[in-house]
Amino acid sequence: MRIRSSEITPRPLYLRRRDFLALGAAGAGALLLSRAAGAAASEHGQKLPAVKPGQPSTDEKKTPFEDITHYNNFYEFGIDKDDPARHAGKLRTRPWTVKVEGECAKPKTFDIDELIKLPLEERVYRLRCVEAWSMVIPWDGFPLGELLKKVEPTSRAKYVAFETAVQPENMPGVGGFNAIPFPYLEGLRIDEAMHPLALLAVGIYGEELPKQDGAPIRLVVPWKYGFKSAKSIVKIRLQETQPKTTWAQYAGGTEYGFYANVNPEVDHPRWSQAKERRIGELFRRPTLKFNGYEEQVAKLYAGMDLRKFF
């Protein structure tokens, strides 16, 4: 079954994107779409030192390395799922720093090699894309809250804004669409950012993060749709006001909300969110509220209308 790009991508973008085969019962040839995308096998990165098992982690079957690295959205490298694997090798990841600033007592710029030496743990999280496909990924990293504590947020820090790298000479998608505003911007409420599940990932499968998956450091917020998890982060800013986000600016506030919590009861304007396609599986499975992390995070949204604050 063919799914038109107009049913998956943001409305302004699908006009520039060629149709692609979505995983479907009638499309058996697309069952392992990422492996069939035509990209070469991904290079493995250096082993990370002393990664310990972390909790909570799901015991679901992990998505294979090749699928994780060949089927993703990273529009700085192109608009098709295999573009990141084909083009991200040009990404320059050294030297690399992450500047943490804003409403904090001790702003600081961290070197990536300093961050990699922090105590790392493996977190096996579900990843649910807003496009209704999903994976299970063994991330290696440390809680975002641990980094924020180092800069001592003030009482005025109500939100956390994220800004990602822009390397026009190495990112063929930057400036290529005349539409998406780069750098990519995302944000969280401070209580979301400090939640133990929110992770800064520097690797997968015990190795340094592949470039197409957001090297050298990315955000992972497992109860939210994947577009909230900014890749290749260069700046984190604590602030009093809700930050602007790329998709809100690009597609308007009706399709991609600030909260972006996974919710099978709240459909995207152009498709249902009730079910999802796990990469590597033939049949759709029911989507879990908060992506299966409801017990841990639902209290963050007590009393909120999740249809209004989507």
Side-chain angles (χ1 to χ4, degrees):
M1 176 176 63
R2 277 193 180 272
I3 304 295
R4 293 174 298 170
S5 292
S6 60
E7 298 174 11
I8 297 296
T9 59
R11 187 180 297 275
L13 185 57
Y14 79 77
L15 295 174
R16 294 178 173 85
R17 182 175 187 168
R18 71 177 185 260
D19 287 353
F20 64 92
L21 272 175
L23 296 172
L31 179 57
L32 293 177
L33 182 59
S34 54
R35 295 188 178 191
S42 296
E43 293 184 7
H44 286 258
Q46 293 185 6
K47 288 289 184 180
L48 292 168
V51 178
K52 298 180 179 179
Q55 293 296 331
S57 287
T58 179
D59 58 0
E60 294 183 51
K61 181 181 178 182
K62 300 173 188 176
T63 301
F65 180 87
E66 286 299 314
D67 289 330
I68 295 170
T69 55
H70 282 80
Y71 192 81
N72 45 37
N73 293 322
F74 200 164
Y75 291 116
E76 287 89 334
F77 296 104
I79 55 179
D80 290 304
K81 293 293 189 290
D82 59 330
D83 281 341
R86 291 191 292 117
H87 299 304
K90 299 177 182 178
L91 179 68
R92 187 175 64 254
T93 60
R94 295 295 190 282
W96 193 283
T97 59
V98 179
K99 185 177 184 180
V100 187
E101 61 182 14
E103 299 292 352
C104 56
K106 296 180 178 179
K108 182 177 179 180
T109 298
F110 297 88
D111 186 88
I112 186 61
D113 292 313
E114 175 186 2
L115 295 177
I116 287 178
K117 292 177 183 177
L118 292 174
L120 303 179
E121 56 184 81
E122 180 187 72
R123 297 275 187 91
V124 185
Y125 283 162
R126 303 177 196 89
L127 171 71
R128 173 59 154 82
C129 182
V130 71
E131 298 172 349
W133 55 266
S134 63
M135 295 183 179
V136 176
I137 300 179
W139 302 106
D140 304 305
F142 54 89
L144 169 61
E146 293 302 312
L147 183 69
L148 298 181
K149 290 176 185 177
K150 292 180 182 294
V151 300
E152 298 182 9
T154 71
S155 60
R156 293 187 297 274
K158 308 298 183 184
Y159 293 90
V160 183
F162 302 88
E163 182 177 321
T164 67
V166 177
Q167 298 178 9
E169 69 281 14
N170 300 321
M171 295 174 161
V174 172
F177 308 133
N178 298 317
I180 296 179
F182 294 113
Y184 192 89
L185 305 175
E186 257 307 336
L188 298 172
R189 262 184 2 205
I190 187 68
D191 57 343
E192 296 176 316
M194 298 300 293
H195 192 280
L197 285 181
L199 193 73
L200 284 174
V202 295
I204 60 171
Y205 277 108
E207 302 173 356
E208 289 188 359
L209 199 62
K211 293 181 177 181
Q212 59 263 47
D213 290 284
I217 186 167
R218 63 167 290 165
L219 177 65
V220 180
V221 193
W223 68 93
K224 294 179 179 290
Y225 292 117
F227 69 85
K228 293 295 291 184
S229 295
K231 302 179 178 74
S232 301
I233 295 170
V234 295
K235 185 184 293 185
I236 299 173
R237 181 174 181 82
L238 295 124
Q239 57 190 62
E240 193 168 8
T241 57
Q242 181 174 306
K244 294 180 179 179
T245 64
T246 289
W247 290 117
Q249 295 180 77
Y250 176 68
T254 60
E255 294 198 12
Y256 302 91
F258 177 79
Y259 285 93
N261 292 318
V262 176
N263 192 341
E265 301 168 7
V266 179
D267 290 336
H268 186 278
R270 290 181 282 127
W271 60 83
S272 170
Q273 296 289 17
K275 292 187 177 182
E276 65 195 62
R277 179 81 61 196
R278 179 66 53 80
I279 297 299
E281 296 180 358
L282 180 61
F283 298 106
R284 290 181 174 271
R285 58 168 64 200
T287 291
L288 303 174
K289 195 168 185 178
F290 295 109
N291 204 25
Y293 302 97
E294 183 173 9
E295 182 177 348
Q296 293 99 323
V297 303
K299 60 185 178 183
L300 295 175
Y301 312 101
M304 289 180 60
D305 182 346
L306 297 183
R307 291 187 176 273
K308 179 179 180 181
F309 298 99
F310 64 94

